[in-house]
Protein backbone atom coordinates (compact mmCIF):
# COMPACT_ATOMS: atom_id res chain seq x y z
CA UNK A 1 0.00 0.00 0.00
CA UNK A 2 1.24 3.46 -0.92
CA UNK A 3 2.69 5.32 2.12
CA UNK A 4 0.92 8.55 1.21
CA UNK A 5 -2.35 6.64 0.92
CA UNK A 6 -1.82 5.16 4.40
CA UNK A 7 -1.18 8.60 5.87
CA UNK A 8 -4.28 9.99 4.16
CA UNK A 9 -6.38 7.08 5.45
CA UNK A 10 -5.11 7.54 9.02
CA UNK A 11 -5.88 11.26 8.87
CA UNK A 12 -9.36 10.54 7.60
CA UNK A 13 -10.02 8.06 10.43
CA UNK A 14 -8.93 10.70 12.94
CA UNK A 15 -11.42 13.13 11.36
CA UNK A 16 -14.19 10.54 11.51
CA UNK A 17 -13.49 9.73 15.15
CA UNK A 18 -13.95 13.39 15.96
CA UNK A 19 -17.15 13.71 13.94
CA UNK A 20 -19.36 10.65 13.57
CA UNK A 21 -21.75 12.54 11.30
CA UNK A 22 -18.89 13.00 8.85
CA UNK A 23 -18.21 9.24 8.94
CA UNK A 24 -21.90 8.60 8.27
CA UNK A 25 -21.84 10.88 5.23
CA UNK A 26 -18.48 9.96 3.75
CA UNK A 27 -18.04 6.29 4.64
CA UNK A 28 -21.59 5.00 4.98
CA UNK A 29 -23.00 7.36 2.35
CA UNK A 30 -26.12 8.31 4.28
CA UNK A 31 -28.07 11.54 4.58
CA UNK A 32 -29.39 12.19 8.06
CA UNK A 33 -31.81 14.99 8.81
CA UNK A 34 -30.91 17.57 11.47
CA UNK A 35 -32.68 15.73 14.29
CA UNK A 36 -31.07 12.41 13.38
CA UNK A 37 -27.65 14.07 13.33
CA UNK A 38 -28.32 15.44 16.81
CA UNK A 39 -29.09 11.90 18.00
CA UNK A 40 -25.88 10.58 16.46
CA UNK A 41 -23.83 13.32 18.12
CA UNK A 42 -25.47 12.45 21.41
CA UNK A 43 -24.45 8.81 21.08
CA UNK A 44 -20.91 9.94 20.28
CA UNK A 45 -20.72 12.05 23.44
CA UNK A 46 -23.19 10.63 25.98
CA UNK A 47 -23.39 7.21 27.63
CA UNK A 48 -27.22 7.02 27.48
CA UNK A 49 -29.49 8.20 24.66
CA UNK A 50 -33.25 7.68 24.50
CA UNK A 51 -35.33 8.30 21.37
CA UNK A 52 -39.15 8.27 21.38
CA UNK A 53 -40.47 8.45 17.84
CA UNK A 54 -43.45 8.71 15.58
CA UNK A 55 -44.01 6.18 12.79
CA UNK A 56 -41.42 5.83 9.99
CA UNK A 57 -39.37 8.70 11.36
CA UNK A 58 -36.03 6.93 10.88
CA UNK A 59 -35.34 5.88 14.47
CA UNK A 60 -34.10 2.39 13.55
CA UNK A 61 -32.03 3.76 10.70
CA UNK A 62 -30.19 6.28 12.87
CA UNK A 63 -29.74 3.55 15.52
CA UNK A 64 -28.02 1.34 12.94
CA UNK A 65 -25.82 4.25 11.82
CA UNK A 66 -24.83 4.86 15.46
CA UNK A 67 -23.98 1.19 15.92
CA UNK A 68 -21.73 1.20 12.83
CA UNK A 69 -20.00 4.38 13.97
CA UNK A 70 -19.28 2.89 17.38
CA UNK A 71 -18.11 -0.40 15.90
CA UNK A 72 -15.56 1.16 13.56
CA UNK A 73 -14.52 4.37 15.31
CA UNK A 74 -13.85 3.23 18.89
CA UNK A 75 -11.34 0.30 18.69
CA UNK A 76 -7.63 1.17 18.93
CA UNK A 77 -4.38 -0.50 17.96
CA UNK A 78 -0.77 -0.05 19.03
CA UNK A 79 2.14 0.62 16.70
CA UNK A 80 2.55 -3.13 16.12
CA UNK A 81 -0.99 -3.37 14.82
CA UNK A 82 -2.26 -5.18 17.90
CA UNK A 83 -5.79 -4.52 19.08
CA UNK A 84 -5.45 -2.83 22.48
CA UNK A 85 -8.96 -1.43 22.91
CA UNK A 86 -11.62 -3.89 21.78
CA UNK A 87 -15.19 -3.06 20.79
CA UNK A 88 -18.39 -5.07 21.10
CA UNK A 89 -21.80 -3.95 19.84
CA UNK A 90 -25.07 -5.73 20.61
CA UNK A 91 -28.36 -4.98 18.86
CA UNK A 92 -31.57 -6.37 20.27
CA UNK A 93 -35.36 -6.23 20.03
CA UNK A 94 -38.28 -7.98 21.76
CA UNK A 95 -38.85 -10.59 19.03
CA UNK A 96 -36.81 -12.66 16.58
CA UNK A 97 -38.82 -11.15 13.72
CA UNK A 98 -37.87 -7.62 14.73
CA UNK A 99 -34.20 -8.59 14.93
CA UNK A 100 -34.35 -10.29 11.54
CA UNK A 101 -36.51 -7.70 9.75
CA UNK A 102 -35.43 -4.44 11.40
CA UNK A 103 -32.02 -4.60 13.10
CA UNK A 104 -29.99 -6.79 10.72
CA UNK A 105 -31.24 -5.41 7.36
CA UNK A 106 -30.36 -1.83 8.38
CA UNK A 107 -26.83 -2.90 9.36
CA UNK A 108 -26.39 -4.95 6.17
CA UNK A 109 -27.46 -2.06 3.96
CA UNK A 110 -24.96 0.27 5.61
CA UNK A 111 -22.15 -2.28 5.42
CA UNK A 112 -22.79 -2.94 1.72
CA UNK A 113 -23.32 0.73 0.89
CA UNK A 114 -19.89 1.56 2.29
CA UNK A 115 -18.34 -1.20 0.16
CA UNK A 116 -20.07 0.12 -2.96
CA UNK A 117 -18.46 3.51 -2.26
CA UNK A 118 -14.98 1.97 -2.12
CA UNK A 119 -14.82 1.93 1.70
CA UNK A 120 -13.80 -1.61 2.60
CA UNK A 121 -14.92 -1.88 6.23
CA UNK A 122 -13.20 -4.67 8.19
CA UNK A 123 -15.19 -7.80 8.90
CA UNK A 124 -17.65 -10.11 7.22
CA UNK A 125 -21.42 -9.70 7.25
CA UNK A 126 -23.19 -12.90 8.31
CA UNK A 127 -26.85 -13.63 9.07
CA UNK A 128 -26.84 -11.81 12.42
CA UNK A 129 -23.32 -10.41 12.85
CA UNK A 130 -20.36 -8.48 11.58
CA UNK A 131 -17.36 -10.63 12.53
CA UNK A 132 -13.79 -9.36 12.17
CA UNK A 133 -10.53 -11.28 12.41
CA UNK A 134 -10.40 -10.31 16.08
CA UNK A 135 -12.62 -12.37 18.40
CA UNK A 136 -13.06 -9.36 20.69
CA UNK A 137 -14.19 -6.96 17.97
CA UNK A 138 -17.67 -7.60 16.58
CA UNK A 139 -21.30 -6.57 16.17
CA UNK A 140 -24.09 -9.05 16.83
CA UNK A 141 -27.88 -8.98 16.90
CA UNK A 142 -30.23 -11.26 18.82
CA UNK A 143 -33.62 -11.34 20.50
CA UNK A 144 -33.82 -9.99 24.05
CA UNK A 145 -34.97 -13.22 25.71
CA UNK A 146 -36.48 -12.29 29.10
CA UNK A 147 -35.55 -15.73 30.46
CA UNK A 148 -31.88 -15.73 29.46
CA UNK A 149 -30.12 -12.85 31.16
CA UNK A 150 -26.84 -14.74 30.96
CA UNK A 151 -26.77 -13.85 27.26
CA UNK A 152 -25.59 -10.40 28.27
CA UNK A 153 -22.74 -11.57 30.47
CA UNK A 154 -20.16 -11.80 27.68
CA UNK A 155 -20.23 -8.16 26.68
CA UNK A 156 -17.45 -6.78 28.81
CA UNK A 157 -15.05 -4.80 26.63
CA UNK A 158 -13.09 -1.55 26.58
CA UNK A 159 -15.79 -0.17 24.26
CA UNK A 160 -19.29 -1.58 24.62
CA UNK A 161 -22.54 -0.51 23.01
CA UNK A 162 -26.11 -1.75 23.33
CA UNK A 163 -28.74 -0.72 20.79
CA UNK A 164 -32.31 -1.58 21.76
CA UNK A 165 -35.07 -1.10 19.21
CA UNK A 166 -38.78 -1.31 20.08
CA UNK A 167 -37.54 -0.77 23.62
CA UNK A 168 -41.00 -0.27 25.14
CA UNK A 169 -41.63 -3.98 24.54
CA UNK A 170 -38.68 -5.18 26.62
CA UNK A 171 -39.00 -6.07 30.30
CA UNK A 172 -37.22 -4.09 33.00
CA UNK A 173 -35.29 -7.21 34.08
CA UNK A 174 -33.57 -7.32 30.69
CA UNK A 175 -32.50 -3.69 31.01
CA UNK A 176 -31.16 -4.45 34.48
CA UNK A 177 -28.96 -7.13 32.92
CA UNK A 178 -27.79 -4.71 30.24
CA UNK A 179 -27.06 -2.01 32.82
CA UNK A 180 -24.65 -4.42 34.50
CA UNK A 181 -22.41 -4.20 31.41
CA UNK A 182 -22.32 -0.41 31.14
CA UNK A 183 -18.73 0.08 32.21
CA UNK A 184 -15.74 1.81 30.68
CA UNK A 185 -16.46 3.52 27.37
CA UNK A 186 -20.02 2.23 27.09
CA UNK A 187 -23.16 3.39 25.31
CA UNK A 188 -26.80 2.43 25.42
CA UNK A 189 -29.18 3.72 22.75
CA UNK A 190 -32.85 2.87 23.03
CA UNK A 191 -35.40 3.73 20.34
CA UNK A 192 -39.13 3.11 20.53
CA UNK A 193 -42.65 4.20 19.74
CA UNK A 194 -44.11 5.55 22.99
CA UNK A 195 -47.00 3.10 23.24
CA UNK A 196 -47.08 3.00 27.03
CA UNK A 197 -46.17 5.55 29.72
CA UNK A 198 -44.73 2.90 32.06
CA UNK A 199 -41.57 0.82 32.03
CA UNK A 200 -37.84 1.39 31.55
CA UNK A 201 -38.16 3.01 28.11
CA UNK A 202 -40.79 5.47 29.35
CA UNK A 203 -38.68 6.34 32.40
CA UNK A 204 -35.69 7.03 30.18
CA UNK A 205 -37.59 9.98 28.73
CA UNK A 206 -37.94 11.41 32.24
CA UNK A 207 -34.69 10.44 33.93
CA UNK A 208 -31.83 12.91 34.25
CA UNK A 209 -29.19 10.32 33.29
CA UNK A 210 -30.42 10.26 29.72
CA UNK A 211 -29.93 12.45 26.69
CA UNK A 212 -33.51 12.54 25.39
CA UNK A 213 -34.96 13.02 21.90
CA UNK A 214 -38.42 12.93 20.36
CA UNK A 215 -38.86 12.45 16.62
CA UNK A 216 -42.12 14.10 15.56
CA UNK A 217 -43.52 12.99 12.20
CA UNK A 218 -45.05 16.46 11.69
CA UNK A 219 -41.53 17.89 11.41
CA UNK A 220 -40.15 15.17 9.11
CA UNK A 221 -38.49 16.67 6.01
CA UNK A 222 -40.84 14.79 3.64
CA UNK A 223 -43.84 16.26 5.46
CA UNK A 224 -42.50 19.80 5.81
CA UNK A 225 -41.51 19.98 2.10
CA UNK A 226 -44.44 17.83 0.86
CA UNK A 227 -42.12 15.77 -1.29
CA UNK A 228 -39.69 12.87 -0.93
CA UNK A 229 -36.55 14.42 0.53
CA UNK A 230 -35.46 11.31 2.44
CA UNK A 231 -36.72 8.07 0.83
CA UNK A 232 -38.35 5.66 3.25
CA UNK A 233 -39.29 8.23 5.86
CA UNK A 234 -42.89 9.14 6.67
CA UNK A 235 -44.59 11.12 3.90
CA UNK A 236 -46.94 14.09 3.76
CA UNK A 237 -50.03 12.22 2.55
CA UNK A 238 -49.85 9.70 5.41
CA UNK A 239 -49.55 12.42 8.04
CA UNK A 240 -52.35 14.47 6.46
CA UNK A 241 -54.64 11.43 6.54
CA UNK A 242 -53.87 10.87 10.25
CA UNK A 243 -54.55 14.52 11.05
CA UNK A 244 -58.01 14.15 9.50
CA UNK A 245 -58.83 10.80 11.10
CA UNK A 246 -57.03 10.90 14.46
CA UNK A 247 -57.56 14.56 15.47
CA UNK A 248 -60.46 16.89 16.21
CA UNK A 249 -60.70 20.37 14.73
CA UNK A 250 -60.76 23.10 17.40
CA UNK A 251 -60.93 26.88 17.45
CA UNK A 252 -57.68 28.78 17.97
CA UNK A 253 -59.24 30.26 21.11
CA UNK A 254 -59.57 26.72 22.55
CA UNK A 255 -55.84 25.99 22.19
CA UNK A 256 -54.52 24.07 25.20
CA UNK A 257 -50.83 23.26 25.33
CA UNK A 258 -51.34 20.55 27.93
CA UNK A 259 -53.50 18.61 25.46
CA UNK A 260 -50.84 18.85 22.71
CA UNK A 261 -53.05 20.96 20.45
CA UNK A 262 -51.25 21.95 17.25
CA UNK A 263 -51.62 23.93 14.04
CA UNK A 264 -51.52 22.23 10.64
CA UNK A 265 -52.09 24.03 7.36
CA UNK A 266 -53.89 26.94 9.00
CA UNK A 267 -56.23 24.90 11.20
CA UNK A 268 -56.00 23.93 14.86
CA UNK A 269 -56.32 20.33 16.00
CA UNK A 270 -56.55 18.29 19.19
CA UNK A 271 -54.91 14.84 18.87
CA UNK A 272 -56.26 11.48 19.99
CA UNK A 273 -53.90 9.02 21.65
CA UNK A 274 -53.20 7.21 18.37
CA UNK A 275 -51.96 10.46 16.87
CA UNK A 276 -49.87 11.23 19.95
CA UNK A 277 -48.12 7.87 19.74
CA UNK A 278 -47.85 7.33 16.00
CA UNK A 279 -47.25 10.89 14.78
CA UNK A 280 -46.11 13.18 17.61
CA UNK A 281 -43.89 10.54 19.21
CA UNK A 282 -45.49 11.26 22.60
CA UNK A 283 -46.87 8.97 25.24
CA UNK A 284 -50.64 8.42 25.44
CA UNK A 285 -52.51 10.64 27.84
CA UNK A 286 -51.67 9.79 31.39
CA UNK A 287 -54.04 7.24 32.92
CA UNK A 288 -56.68 8.53 35.29
CA UNK A 289 -54.87 7.10 38.31
CA UNK A 290 -51.57 8.92 37.69
CA UNK A 291 -51.12 11.83 40.07
CA UNK A 292 -49.08 14.20 37.87
CA UNK A 293 -49.05 14.32 34.02
CA UNK A 294 -45.57 14.84 32.62
CA UNK A 295 -46.64 17.86 30.58
CA UNK A 296 -47.49 19.75 33.80
CA UNK A 297 -43.91 19.28 34.97
CA UNK A 298 -42.60 20.41 31.58
CA UNK A 299 -44.70 23.59 31.67
CA UNK A 300 -43.55 24.41 35.22
CA UNK A 301 -39.93 23.95 34.17
CA UNK A 302 -40.41 26.20 31.12
CA UNK A 303 -41.82 28.92 33.37
CA UNK A 304 -38.85 28.54 35.74
CA UNK A 305 -36.36 28.97 32.88
CA UNK A 306 -38.24 31.99 31.46
CA UNK A 307 -38.49 33.60 34.89
CA UNK A 308 -34.77 33.26 35.60
CA UNK A 309 -33.91 34.53 32.15
CA UNK A 310 -35.93 37.64 32.97
CA UNK A 311 -34.69 38.15 36.54
CA UNK A 312 -31.29 36.50 36.47
CA UNK A 313 -30.12 33.28 38.01
CA UNK A 314 -30.54 34.62 41.55
CA UNK A 315 -34.21 35.34 40.85
CA UNK A 316 -36.53 37.74 42.64
CA UNK A 317 -38.54 36.18 45.45
CA UNK A 318 -41.19 38.13 47.38
CA UNK A 319 -42.74 35.33 49.38
CA UNK A 320 -41.70 33.51 52.53
CA UNK A 321 -39.24 30.67 52.14
CA UNK A 322 -40.82 27.32 52.86
CA UNK A 323 -37.99 24.81 53.30
CA UNK A 324 -39.11 21.22 52.78
CA UNK A 325 -36.71 18.59 54.14
CA UNK A 326 -36.83 14.85 53.45
CA UNK A 327 -34.35 13.28 55.86
CA UNK A 328 -32.31 10.26 54.74
CA UNK A 329 -33.36 7.01 56.38
CA UNK A 330 -31.78 3.59 56.62
CA UNK A 331 -30.15 2.54 53.36
CA UNK A 332 -30.37 6.02 51.84
CA UNK A 333 -27.40 8.30 51.36
CA UNK A 334 -29.02 11.70 50.76
CA UNK A 335 -31.21 14.19 52.56
CA UNK A 336 -33.10 16.44 50.11
CA UNK A 337 -33.86 20.14 50.69
CA UNK A 338 -36.55 21.95 48.66
CA UNK A 339 -36.56 25.78 48.69
CA UNK A 340 -40.01 27.08 47.70
CA UNK A 341 -41.00 30.75 47.60
CA UNK A 342 -44.73 30.89 46.83
CA UNK A 343 -45.17 29.59 43.30
CA UNK A 344 -41.41 29.25 42.67
CA UNK A 345 -39.19 26.38 43.71
CA UNK A 346 -35.82 28.06 43.71
CA UNK A 347 -33.81 24.85 43.93
CA UNK A 348 -33.43 21.34 45.26
CA UNK A 349 -30.22 20.39 47.04
CA UNK A 350 -29.04 17.25 48.74
CA UNK A 351 -26.54 16.38 51.42
CA UNK A 352 -24.71 13.09 51.23
CA UNK A 353 -24.37 11.05 54.38
CA UNK A 354 -22.70 7.99 52.88
CA UNK A 355 -25.35 5.83 54.52
CA UNK A 356 -24.43 7.01 58.02
CA UNK A 357 -26.99 8.93 60.07
CA UNK A 358 -26.02 12.64 60.14
CA UNK A 359 -28.95 14.14 62.02
CA UNK A 360 -26.94 16.86 63.74
CA UNK A 361 -25.36 17.96 60.47
CA UNK A 362 -28.77 18.18 58.78
CA UNK A 363 -30.22 20.01 61.79
CA UNK A 364 -27.30 22.44 61.73
CA UNK A 365 -27.88 23.23 58.08
CA UNK A 366 -31.60 23.87 58.66
CA UNK A 367 -30.81 26.07 61.68
CA UNK A 368 -28.32 28.13 59.67
CA UNK A 369 -30.97 28.76 56.98
CA UNK A 370 -33.53 29.83 59.59
CA UNK A 371 -30.95 32.06 61.28
CA UNK A 372 -30.12 33.86 58.03
CA UNK A 373 -33.77 34.40 57.11
CA UNK A 374 -35.98 35.46 60.03
CA UNK A 375 -39.17 34.74 58.05
CA UNK A 376 -38.22 31.30 56.72
CA UNK A 377 -40.24 28.22 57.75
CA UNK A 378 -39.03 24.63 57.76
CA UNK A 379 -41.21 21.56 57.19
CA UNK A 380 -39.47 18.34 58.18
CA UNK A 381 -40.52 14.77 57.50
CA UNK A 382 -40.62 13.31 61.02
CA UNK A 383 -41.47 9.72 60.18
CA UNK A 384 -38.37 7.76 61.20
CA UNK A 385 -35.02 9.53 60.90
CA UNK A 386 -36.48 13.04 60.64
CA UNK A 387 -37.84 12.97 64.19
CA UNK A 388 -34.38 13.52 65.66
CA UNK A 389 -33.68 16.38 63.28
CA UNK A 390 -36.94 18.12 64.17
CA UNK A 391 -36.30 17.66 67.91
CA UNK A 392 -32.88 19.28 67.55
CA UNK A 393 -34.32 22.26 65.63
CA UNK A 394 -36.82 22.80 68.44
CA UNK A 395 -33.99 22.59 71.00
CA UNK A 396 -32.17 25.32 69.11
CA UNK A 397 -35.12 27.68 69.62
CA UNK A 398 -36.89 27.48 66.27
CA UNK A 399 -40.11 25.81 67.43
CA UNK A 400 -42.32 28.56 65.98
CA UNK A 401 -40.78 28.14 62.53
CA UNK A 402 -40.30 24.37 62.40
CA UNK A 403 -43.16 22.01 61.53
CA UNK A 404 -43.36 18.26 61.91
CA UNK A 405 -44.74 16.55 58.79
CA UNK A 406 -46.22 13.16 59.69
CA UNK A 407 -47.63 11.61 56.53
CA UNK A 408 -49.72 9.16 58.56
CA UNK A 409 -51.59 11.83 60.55
CA UNK A 410 -55.12 12.89 59.73
CA UNK A 411 -55.53 15.46 56.95
CA UNK A 412 -56.91 18.20 59.18
CA UNK A 413 -56.03 21.83 59.84
CA UNK A 414 -55.22 23.43 63.19
CA UNK A 415 -58.95 23.76 63.95
CA UNK A 416 -59.52 20.05 63.39
CA UNK A 417 -61.36 20.60 60.10
CA UNK A 418 -60.81 18.24 57.17
CA UNK A 419 -58.42 19.59 54.56
CA UNK A 420 -59.76 19.64 51.00
CA UNK A 421 -58.47 20.22 47.48
CA UNK A 422 -58.75 23.65 45.81
CA UNK A 423 -62.33 22.98 44.73
CA UNK A 424 -63.42 21.96 48.22
CA UNK A 425 -64.81 18.69 46.83
CA UNK A 426 -62.17 16.11 47.79
CA UNK A 427 -61.02 14.95 51.22
CA UNK A 428 -57.98 12.82 51.98
CA UNK A 429 -57.16 9.60 53.78
CA UNK A 430 -54.10 11.08 55.50
CA UNK A 431 -51.69 14.00 55.41
CA UNK A 432 -49.54 12.33 52.76
CA UNK A 433 -52.48 12.20 50.35
CA UNK A 434 -53.31 15.86 51.05
CA UNK A 435 -49.74 17.06 50.52
CA UNK A 436 -49.26 15.07 47.32
CA UNK A 437 -52.59 16.32 45.96
CA UNK A 438 -51.62 19.87 46.89
CA UNK A 439 -48.73 19.55 44.42
CA UNK A 440 -51.18 18.31 41.79
CA UNK A 441 -53.47 21.31 42.36
CA UNK A 442 -50.44 23.63 42.28
CA UNK A 443 -49.13 22.24 38.99
CA UNK A 444 -52.50 21.92 37.24
CA UNK A 445 -52.45 24.69 34.58
CA UNK A 446 -56.21 25.30 34.83
CA UNK A 447 -55.76 26.48 38.43
CA UNK A 448 -53.59 29.41 37.33
CA UNK A 449 -50.93 28.92 40.02
CA UNK A 450 -48.06 29.60 37.56
CA UNK A 451 -45.98 26.92 39.29
CA UNK A 452 -42.25 26.98 38.55
CA UNK A 453 -39.86 24.07 38.98
CA UNK A 454 -36.12 23.94 38.24
CA UNK A 455 -35.23 21.43 35.50
CA UNK A 456 -33.50 18.28 36.63
CA UNK A 457 -33.05 16.55 39.97
CA UNK A 458 -35.16 13.58 38.87
CA UNK A 459 -38.44 15.22 39.84
CA UNK A 460 -40.19 14.41 36.55
CA UNK A 461 -39.38 10.74 36.93
CA UNK A 462 -40.63 10.68 40.51
CA UNK A 463 -43.81 12.74 40.05
CA UNK A 464 -45.12 10.81 37.06
CA UNK A 465 -44.79 7.41 38.75
CA UNK A 466 -47.16 8.16 41.63
CA UNK A 467 -50.71 6.74 41.50
CA UNK A 468 -53.85 7.53 43.50
CA UNK A 469 -57.36 6.19 44.03
CA UNK A 470 -60.60 6.83 45.92
CA UNK A 471 -61.30 4.87 49.07
CA UNK A 472 -64.77 3.44 49.68
CA UNK A 473 -65.61 6.52 51.79
CA UNK A 474 -64.70 8.86 48.93
CA UNK A 475 -61.39 10.06 50.40
CA UNK A 476 -58.31 10.16 48.17
CA UNK A 477 -55.36 7.92 49.05
CA UNK A 478 -51.91 7.64 47.46
CA UNK A 479 -50.44 4.21 46.74
CA UNK A 480 -47.85 2.90 49.23
CA UNK A 481 -44.29 4.14 48.84
CA UNK A 482 -43.04 0.58 48.41
CA UNK A 483 -45.11 0.15 45.22
CA UNK A 484 -43.68 3.33 43.72
CA UNK A 485 -40.14 2.22 44.59
CA UNK A 486 -40.69 -1.10 42.78
CA UNK A 487 -41.37 0.75 39.51
CA UNK A 488 -39.00 3.66 40.00
CA UNK A 489 -36.10 1.77 41.54
CA UNK A 490 -35.65 4.37 44.29
CA UNK A 491 -37.55 6.53 46.75
CA UNK A 492 -39.39 9.73 45.77
CA UNK A 493 -37.09 11.92 47.88
CA UNK A 494 -37.32 15.14 45.86
CA UNK A 495 -41.10 14.87 45.50
CA UNK A 496 -41.45 14.22 49.23
CA UNK A 497 -39.34 17.30 50.05
CA UNK A 498 -41.55 19.39 47.75
CA UNK A 499 -44.71 17.92 49.32
CA UNK A 500 -43.48 18.96 52.77
CA UNK A 501 -43.51 22.61 51.67
CA UNK A 502 -47.30 22.38 51.31
CA UNK A 503 -47.81 21.45 54.95
CA UNK A 504 -50.77 23.62 56.08
CA UNK A 505 -49.25 26.72 57.63
CA UNK A 506 -50.92 30.11 57.29
CA UNK A 507 -48.83 32.43 55.11
CA UNK A 508 -48.60 36.21 55.43
CA UNK A 509 -47.56 37.18 51.91
CA UNK A 510 -48.19 36.05 48.36
CA UNK A 511 -46.19 36.18 45.16
CA UNK A 512 -47.63 38.40 42.47
CA UNK A 513 -48.90 36.70 39.32
CA UNK A 514 -46.06 36.36 36.82
CA UNK A 515 -48.12 35.09 33.91
CA UNK A 516 -47.19 38.06 31.71
CA UNK A 517 -43.70 36.61 31.34
CA UNK A 518 -45.03 33.67 29.38
Amino acid sequence: MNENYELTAKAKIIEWRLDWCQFAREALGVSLDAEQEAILRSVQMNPRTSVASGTARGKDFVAAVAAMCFLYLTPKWNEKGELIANTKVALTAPTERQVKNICVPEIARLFNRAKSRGIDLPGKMTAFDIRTEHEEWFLTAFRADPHRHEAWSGFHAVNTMFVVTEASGILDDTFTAIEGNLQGNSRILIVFNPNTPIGYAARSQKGERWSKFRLNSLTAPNVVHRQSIIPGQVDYEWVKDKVVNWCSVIQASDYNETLDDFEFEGNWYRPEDNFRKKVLGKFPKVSEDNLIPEVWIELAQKRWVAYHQAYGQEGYYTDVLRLGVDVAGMGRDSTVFCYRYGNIVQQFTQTNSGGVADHMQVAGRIASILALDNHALSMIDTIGEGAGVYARIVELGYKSRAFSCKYSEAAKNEKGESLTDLTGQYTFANMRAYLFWAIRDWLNPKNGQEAMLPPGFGLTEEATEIKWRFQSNGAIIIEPKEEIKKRLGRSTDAFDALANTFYPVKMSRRVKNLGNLF
Side-chain angles (χ1 to χ4, degrees):
M1 183 180 291
N2 183 281
E3 184 176 344
N4 289 333
Y5 179 85
E6 285 189 8
L7 291 173
T8 301
K10 288 180 179 179
K12 181 57 68 176
I13 290 172
I14 291 172
E15 285 184 24
W16 289 341
R17 281 177 173 163
L18 293 173
D19 186 351
W20 287 13
C21 291
Q22 184 179 342
F23 175 79
R25 290 191 300 270
E26 297 178 355
L28 303 180
V30 301
S31 297
L32 301 176
D33 63 42
E35 291 173 289
Q36 290 175 321
E37 284 199 348
I39 292 168
L40 185 56
R41 290 193 178 95
S42 172
V43 176
Q44 180 179 353
M45 304 301 297
N46 301 308
R48 291 176 171 83
T49 301
S50 168
V51 181
S53 175
T55 299
R57 193 58 182 80
K59 67 182 188 305
D60 297 308
F61 177 66
V62 72
V65 171
M68 292 290 280
C69 288
F70 192 86
L71 177 66
Y72 288 113
L73 299 177
T74 59
K76 293 182 180 179
W77 292 261
N78 62 19
E79 294 180 354
K80 298 178 181 179
E82 299 168 331
L83 182 64
I84 57 173
N86 62 329
T87 293
K88 298 178 182 179
V89 180
L91 283 73
T92 193
T95 68
E96 195 77 25
R97 181 191 63 79
Q98 289 164 332
V99 173
K100 182 178 179 180
N101 296 339
I102 298 176
C103 299
V104 175
E106 294 284 16
I107 293 294
R109 277 192 285 270
L110 293 170
F111 186 83
N112 293 326
R113 183 180 297 178
K115 183 176 290 187
S116 70
R117 296 170 57 83
I119 306 295
D120 193 12
L121 297 174
K124 180 180 179 181
M125 189 78 215
T126 66
F128 291 95
D129 309 272
I130 294 178
R131 292 286 172 175
T132 72
E133 60 183 17
H134 299 276
E135 289 186 4
E136 296 296 303
W137 178 25
F138 61 82
L139 176 150
T140 187
F142 56 88
R143 175 195 168 211
D145 190 334
H147 305 295
R148 293 188 58 202
H149 293 164
E150 69 275 9
W152 302 100
S153 61
F155 283 90
H156 298 295
V158 175
N159 309 296
T160 310
M161 182 176 187
F162 300 91
V163 179
V164 186
T165 191
E166 306 300 337
S168 57
I170 291 179
L171 298 179
D172 283 13
D173 284 353
T174 298
F175 282 110
T176 298
I178 293 174
E179 288 265 8
N181 291 284
L182 296 178
Q183 304 171 30
N185 182 39
S186 63
R187 300 287 190 279
I188 179 170
L189 168 62
I190 64 174
V191 298
F192 58 97
N193 297 116
N195 297 318
T196 174
I198 62 174
Y200 184 96
R203 290 196 300 274
S204 72
Q205 284 285 310
K206 307 167 189 174
E208 302 306 321
R209 299 188 305 163
W210 293 82
S211 176
K212 299 175 282 291
F213 295 87
R214 180 178 288 121
L215 292 175
N216 183 345
S217 296
L218 283 175
T219 62
N222 295 349
V223 177
V224 172
H225 297 283
R226 302 188 189 182
Q227 59 179 305
S228 181
I229 305 295
I230 300 180
Q233 272 205 31
V234 63
D235 60 56
Y236 167 78
E237 293 299 332
W238 184 88
V239 167
K240 184 177 180 180
D241 176 72
K242 302 314 173 212
V243 170
V244 171
N245 290 286
W246 287 350
C247 300
S248 302
V249 178
I250 63 172
Q251 298 298 315
S253 58
D254 294 329
Y255 169 77
N256 187 332
E257 185 177 9
T258 67
L259 297 177
D260 292 304
D261 295 343
F262 66 95
E263 185 181 16
F264 184 78
E265 297 188 334
N267 294 315
W268 285 93
Y269 295 89
R270 181 162 296 163
E272 299 174 1
D273 270 352
N274 273 336
F275 194 89
R276 290 170 59 84
K277 294 184 292 184
K278 303 297 185 182
V279 180
L280 300 181
K282 290 194 170 187
F283 294 107
K285 290 178 184 176
V286 68
S287 61
E288 292 298 320
D289 62 348
N290 273 75
L291 184 70
I292 309 290
E294 184 177 357
V295 67
W296 293 3
I297 302 286
E298 292 175 352
L299 290 173
Q301 291 174 339
K302 287 180 180 178
R303 294 188 200 102
W304 190 95
V305 171
Y307 174 80
H308 286 83
Q309 286 175 343
Y311 286 98
Q313 204 58 34
E314 294 301 317
Y316 174 67
Y317 310 111
T318 62
D319 212 313
V320 170
L321 168 62
R322 297 173 70 108
L323 178 68
V325 184
D326 184 61
V327 182
M330 293 297 292
R332 284 174 46 212
D333 290 337
S334 298
T335 293
V336 177
F337 290 71
C338 174
Y339 299 73
R340 182 167 72 86
Y341 297 84
N343 64 327
I344 310 169
V345 172
Q346 179 198 31
Q347 63 178 335
F348 290 93
T349 64
Q350 66 181 27
T351 60
N352 236 306
S353 66
V356 179
D358 59 351
H359 300 166
M360 295 306 99
Q361 181 180 342
V362 173
R365 181 173 177 184
I366 296 171
S368 68
I369 294 169
L370 297 179
L372 287 172
D373 185 342
N374 292 327
H375 299 289
L377 307 175
S378 62
M379 291 79 172
I380 304 163
D381 173 14
T382 55
I383 296 295
E385 304 292 333
V389 173
Y390 173 74
R392 180 56 178 162
I393 293 298
V394 171
E395 282 181 7
L396 293 172
Y398 295 105
K399 183 177 181 179
S400 64
R401 293 195 284 139
F403 300 87
S404 167
C405 298
K406 288 189 175 72
Y407 283 0
S408 58
E409 69 179 290
K412 296 182 181 295
N413 62 20
E414 294 174 344
K415 298 179 180 179
E417 301 166 334
S418 293
L419 296 166
T420 67
D421 72 316
L422 282 180
T423 68
Q425 299 179 33
Y426 298 148
T427 57
F428 303 92
N430 51 35
M431 185 60 72
R432 177 173 182 253
Y434 168 77
L435 295 176
F436 279 34
W437 198 270
I439 298 179
R440 176 186 168 98
D441 274 344
W442 180 63
L443 287 170
N444 190 339
K446 74 177 183 180
N447 292 331
Q449 299 292 300
E450 301 296 342
M452 302 185 204
L453 286 168
F457 216 81
L459 189 70
T460 300
E461 194 174 10
E462 294 180 11
T464 55
E465 283 293 335
I466 300 169
K467 297 182 182 297
W468 68 279
R469 63 179 175 83
F470 286 112
Q471 290 184 309
S472 59
N473 64 359
I476 288 171
I477 191 168
I478 304 297
E479 68 175 322
K481 196 167 197 174
E482 291 70 25
E483 294 301 314
I484 304 171
K485 288 175 69 175
K486 285 179 185 177
R487 296 192 303 273
L488 187 59
R490 57 182 172 82
S491 182
T492 55
D493 301 332
F495 192 88
D496 290 355
L498 174 60
N500 292 345
T501 70
F502 287 88
Y503 192 78
V505 177
K506 192 172 182 180
M507 301 297 293
S508 60
R509 288 181 285 167
R510 290 186 176 274
V511 175
K512 60 184 179 180
N513 190 304
L514 297 167
N516 60 326
L517 285 174
F518 315 101

